[in-house]
Amino acid sequence: MIPTFPLLFLGRQMKVIEGFGVSRVVESDNPNFKPGDLISGLTGWEKYSLITRTAQLRKIQQDDIPLSYHVGLLGMPGFTAYAGFYEVCSPKKGDYVFVSAASGAVGQLVGQLAKLYGCYVVGSAGTSQKVDLLKNKLGFDEAFNYKEEPDLNAALRRYFPQGIDIYFDNVGGPMLDAVLLNMRPHGRIAICGMVSQQSLSQTEGIHNLFMLIAKRIRMQGFLQSDYLHLFPRFLELIISYYKQGKIVYIEDMNEGLESAPASLVGLFSGKNVGKQVICVARE
Amino acid sequence: MIPTFPLLFLGRQMKVIEGFGVSRVVESDNPNFKPGDLISGLTGWEKYSLITRTAQLRKIQQDDIPLSYHVGLLGMPGFTAYAGFYEVCSPKKGDYVFVSAASGAVGQLVGQLAKLYGCYVVGSAGTSQKVDLLKNKLGFDEAFNYKEEPDLNAALRRYFPQGIDIYFDNVGGPMLDAVLLNMRPHGRIAICGMVSQQSLSQTEGIHNLFMLIAKRIRMQGFLQSDYLHLFPRFLELIISYYKQGKIVYIEDMNEGLESAPASLVGLFSGKNVGKQVICVARE
């Protein structure tokens, strides 16, 4: 099985679109990787890839964890959740945490890590099926469908009458603007993605930044690649949580390379339920 | 002399507008303050005030520093600059620093502290007189009149071809939006004020927050009142710098309580040059 997942940048001098994937080594002149090894890292959207940049490749020790989890729970999205929550959000036990796009590849792990940390966690998503997963499978305290809320500010006031300590932002736009009105003093906002703005030619303006002052809010953008020194610690913790049954991970797997373009486009309208994975080949 | 300065909030249950001022004690039943003492802190916009909340009052040790500096350089605005620069901006020697409203009560000290720290400092202001002060009296490396720049993004690219590490934001609005396009990786933005938006019924939207992610920018609002434990250290440093001639402070002093309302309004169109002070009485 070689699941692969497109990143949101395209290869610069390459003819092939790149994405994070799990691959089996067929041939190698690099002593670190032998034929038969399973590796995760950037590869092409293709059945066979020539990988010349091997520094970021990681050899997979196969055990009872699904191989595809190495592009999700144990890959870039999982590590984004880990680094963003622990290193950017400065969580405290008892914090009120809000996660947008909460059933997505990153959000679902953020919420579970926050629960394990002793926080109160609410997530937003765009379908009732996702809301149901958040509440009944992923262990969020509450969840709501933002598409059914004509007034996001009112919705957040309802779910956080005492305000929000941590907002893990995957969407930007009007949700971020509404959250700003509902933050508690010294709150933290981790800016992880702005998927709501990605398809717009002109982004929607954010009007409530003045709240940053009165509430002394820290708002911080981040990339997981700045925290790679923590990757071994991340793997250890998440594998341990997973094996103890303390976390679950939801994937949306499509079959065949030919399903990749439509799956990529679907991300921007929230068609995927959980981490989008493309199964290119099974063993 | 009893200079007083209006804060931007009005007394809640009081009939008198409050502001930071320097006053001489006429009568007191508080053992910490004796008749004749000079104090700085919140007082009324009036010639004689009954001050019942004395916890934040500070007794002034009179020396050769102008009394009015205790509402500016050594008062709330000066401490805002100190706390914002050292505690929020995480400065490093050699950083590229941009300050808006740079000749104002806070900005002029931020720029000078940044220079003393070994940073490269550019300020923006709204008149050529202020730009001249920034370059020739306050020691900024460069300064520009934002009202003469049809394209703020282009102006910032001109003054920071290598990008901005620290933005000390006193204005918000379109300048903040342009700065976001010009930040360096891991840049810091201290949100101190949004004076450009204060008189607008609907604030202007900020469109470039997506830059927070790619550049991993930390944007943080703050209030000086969270850092009062550092006030003694601040006084010691700034008085020492001042006495060594390493910093100067520009005031705009208007005479008479009756000038206070117009002076307050003038702040929002940048009429003041330097810290706005009202001289209510001289000794």
Side-chain angles (χ1 to χ4, degrees), chain B residues 210-261:
Chain B
F210 60 90
M211 295 300 295
L212 295 183
I213 304 174
K215 296 294 178 65
R216 297 87 106 195
I217 295 165
R218 169 161 58 81
M219 194 161 155
Q220 189 160 353
F222 74 100
L223 293 175
Q224 50 88 29
S225 49
D226 285 336
Y227 300 90
L228 289 176
H229 57 287
L230 302 174
F231 203 89
R233 211 192 295 174
F234 151 74
L235 274 187
E236 194 182 342
L237 179 78
I238 301 301
I239 289 174
S240 154
Y241 276 159
Y242 178 74
K243 291 194 170 171
Q244 293 173 67
K246 290 185 174 172
I247 51 177
V248 295
Y249 199 65
I250 298 172
E251 291 181 328
D252 190 333
M253 197 176 295
N254 288 339
E255 297 288 328
L257 200 51
E258 63 280 8
S259 70

Side-chain angles (χ1 to χ4, degrees), chain B residues 65-107:
Chain B
I65 293 178
L67 264 186
S68 58
Y69 279 21
H70 290 277
V71 295
L73 179 63
L74 303 177
M76 189 270 280
F79 187 54
T80 299
Y82 175 91
F85 181 66
Y86 292 113
E87 302 300 314
V88 181
C89 291
S90 308
K92 291 190 305 292
K93 213 180 139 159
D95 273 351
Y96 293 92
V97 176
F98 177 54
V99 186
S100 55
S103 68
V106 176

Side-chain angles (χ1 to χ4, degrees), chain B residues 29-228:
Chain B
D29 61 3
N30 181 316
N32 298 322
F33 303 103
K34 291 189 301 293
D37 283 351
L38 284 163
I39 55 166
S40 80
L42 277 181
T43 181
W45 284 30
E46 56 194 353
K47 290 195 175 169
Y48 294 89
S49 285
L50 175 66
I51 299 178
T52 52
R53 294 175 303 164
T54 56
Q56 300 293 331
L57 285 184
R58 201 167 47 79
K59 203 164 1 175
I60 294 173
Q61 307 303 333
Q62 205 168 0
D63 55 14
D64 50 355
I65 293 178
L67 264 186
S68 58
Y69 279 21
H70 290 277
V71 295
L73 179 63
L74 303 177
M76 189 270 280
F79 187 54
T80 299
Y82 175 91
F85 181 66
Y86 292 113
E87 302 300 314
V88 181
C89 291
S90 308
K92 291 190 305 292
K93 213 180 139 159
D95 273 351
Y96 293 92
V97 176
F98 177 54
V99 186
S100 55
S103 68
V106 176
Q108 59 175 304
L109 185 57
V110 172
Q112 294 179 87
L113 293 178
K115 280 302 298 171
L116 288 165
Y117 205 83
C119 301
Y120 178 84
V121 186
V122 178
S124 66
T127 69
S128 57
Q129 180 198 6
K130 293 177 184 178
V131 168
D132 184 63
L133 283 171
L134 289 170
K135 291 204 275 194
N136 299 317
K137 184 154 184 196
L138 293 164
F140 283 58
D141 293 292
E142 281 289 352
F144 65 92
N145 182 348
Y146 72 92
K147 289 180 182 165
E148 288 176 355
E149 298 290 347
D151 182 343
L152 294 175
N153 180 21
L156 291 168
R157 252 185 291 140
R158 204 162 67 237
Y159 288 103
F160 294 99
Q162 65 298 95
I164 300 167
D165 292 298
I166 291 176
Y167 173 42
F168 196 101
D169 184 14
N170 291 306
V171 300
M175 184 65 93
L176 172 59
D177 229 3
V179 166
L180 283 164
L181 297 175
N182 288 278
M183 292 296 287
R184 300 181 93 185
H186 302 288
R188 288 81 66 200
I189 299 178
I191 305 285
C192 179
M194 298 207 157
V195 72
S196 76
Q197 306 299 298
Q198 217 105 33
S199 309
L200 304 178
S201 53
Q202 163 76 340
T203 63
E204 294 167 277
I206 299 293
H207 292 269
N208 298 327
L209 286 179
F210 60 90
M211 295 300 295
L212 295 183
I213 304 174
K215 296 294 178 65
R216 297 87 106 195
I217 295 165
R218 169 161 58 81
M219 194 161 155
Q220 189 160 353
F222 74 100
L223 293 175
Q224 50 88 29
S225 49
D226 285 336
Y227 300 90
L228 289 176

